[in-house]
Amino acid sequence: MFVSPIVATLYLMAKIKYDCLNCVGYCCAIYERVQVSEDDIIRLGNHFGILPEAARRRYTKKHASGERVLRRTPDPIFGESCIFQDPVKRLCSIYEGRPEVCREWPTHGGGRCVYYDTLQFERRQQENPDVVPLIQITFPEGARGR
Ligand code: SF4
Ligand code: SF4
């Protein structure tokens, strides 16, 4: 069956239940391991007009897990955040150059963002449009789901 791009876009818009422009950029702050691949580093370099090697040194670091990840910076709300999150606008400052993992989040979640749901719920519940729930995600050693 042929589905026109306009119909597909309208369908996607109807499904999406979060609004990053009305959020505090939780996802950019909470994950200390925003992984970058070689392709991501090349894209970063192109974004800033510098060589990939310079982008690697300037904007990424080796995490204790052995992965290459984006560097972090102090953040007024969450304590730390991605080096590219604008601390005032709460948006990605390199949107077109962001890594693949950021492009995938959270659209694989069926059009929902669990943090956005929590944020809206708490703001309604506490009758305070500015409240920001702080939620920490940890991955304890040895923990296994079912
Ligand atoms: S936490 Fe969810 S709603 Fe907030 S910026 Fe990230 S993806 Fe968007
Ligand atoms: S690169 Fe942009 S989208 Fe990805 S974590 Fe950093 S600020 Fe967020």
Side-chain angles (χ1 to χ4, degrees):
M1 182 181 69
F2 172 76
V3 179
S4 82
I6 294 174
V7 171
T9 305
L10 288 174
Y11 176 72
L12 201 64
M13 284 170 67
K15 268 186 77 181
I16 288 178
K17 302 272 193 276
Y18 61 90
D19 178 7
C20 299
L21 297 177
N22 192 24
C23 183
V24 286
Y26 169 83
C27 57
C28 300
I30 205 69
Y31 293 107
E32 65 172 36
R33 285 162 55 192
V34 178
Q35 298 164 351
V36 285
S37 65
E38 286 305 309
D39 284 349
D40 291 328
I41 290 173
I42 292 169
R43 192 187 298 112
L44 265 180
N46 288 339
H47 184 84
F48 288 106
I50 58 177
L51 290 173
E53 208 36 55
R56 182 197 312 276
R57 270 197 316 275
R58 224 175 272 178
Y59 305 120
T60 76
K61 64 178 182 180
K62 197 96 174 266
H63 186 262
S65 64
E67 299 158 326
R68 185 143 292 272
V69 300
L70 290 181
R71 288 185 183 276
R72 312 260 299 156
T73 191
D75 181 75
I77 296 179
F78 296 102
E80 255 196 2
S81 183
C82 170
I83 189 173
F84 294 124
Q85 186 180 46
D86 184 311
V88 177
K89 294 181 184 160
R90 312 304 304 172
L91 296 171
C92 179
S93 63
I94 57 151
Y95 194 71
E96 297 303 326
R98 71 198 189 286
E100 193 60 37
V101 69
C102 304
R103 294 164 189 268
E104 289 177 4
W105 173 266
T107 46
H108 64 284
R112 298 206 83 99
C113 167
V114 286
Y115 182 77
Y116 190 76
D117 287 347
T118 307
L119 179 70
Q120 296 309 313
F121 176 83
E122 289 299 342
R123 286 181 169 178
R124 264 198 320 273
Q125 196 69 7
Q126 300 190 31
E127 296 178 356
N128 180 348
D130 298 321
V131 81
V132 174
L134 299 181
I135 300 170
Q136 189 181 10
I137 299 176
T138 58
F139 303 92
E141 273 302 304
R144 290 278 180 272
R146 287 189 212 175

